Amino acid sequence: MYTIDLTVRNTPFPVSIQRKTAEDADAVYQLVMTAMRSGSPDIIELKCEGKIEKKIAVRASEISGVIVSQKEGVSGTGTRQPGFFVLNES
């Protein structure tokens, strides 16, 4: 399962959706990047494949970042924290 996190301006936590395949995740990433580059205030609507009842709509001009990551672990409980920067102490 692949997670796509969107960082939205003035929002402390990312908005996340999931895709089952790398190709689908990349397609969403390209869609978001195109919308961000356009600079228009269009609204992007996305649906989650992990939780089918989850839908999001966000104004493209308010997105400040996007990241695609693969969920680790068989149980899906990985230690991934929200956001773009995680510092692990050894």
Side-chain angles (χ1 to χ4, degrees), residues 45-59:
E45 287 186 81
L46 301 170
K47 294 179 183 180
C48 186
E49 289 182 355
K51 296 179 180 178
I52 57 173
E53 69 280 356
K54 182 177 181 180
K55 299 181 209 175
I56 64 167
V58 63
R59 191 175 303 272

Side-chain angles (χ1 to χ4, degrees), residues 13-61:
F13 300 104
V15 177
S16 301
I17 63 163
Q18 295 176 330
R19 289 289 183 263
K20 293 178 182 174
T21 66
E23 294 80 20
D24 290 344
D26 188 56
V28 172
Y29 176 81
Q30 294 302 326
L31 172 77
V32 172
M33 289 298 296
T34 301
M36 288 173 63
R37 286 186 182 114
S38 75
S40 68
D42 293 339
I43 294 176
I44 299 174
E45 287 186 81
L46 301 170
K47 294 179 183 180
C48 186
E49 289 182 355
K51 296 179 180 178
I52 57 173
E53 69 280 356
K54 182 177 181 180
K55 299 181 209 175
I56 64 167
V58 63
R59 191 175 303 272
S61 60

Side-chain angles (χ1 to χ4, degrees), residues 62-83:
E62 294 299 311
I63 300 171
S64 59
V66 60
I67 187 169
V68 177
S69 59
Q70 185 174 8
K71 187 181 278 188
E72 297 176 6
V74 175
S75 65
T77 58
T79 59
R80 190 181 66 81
Q81 297 177 359

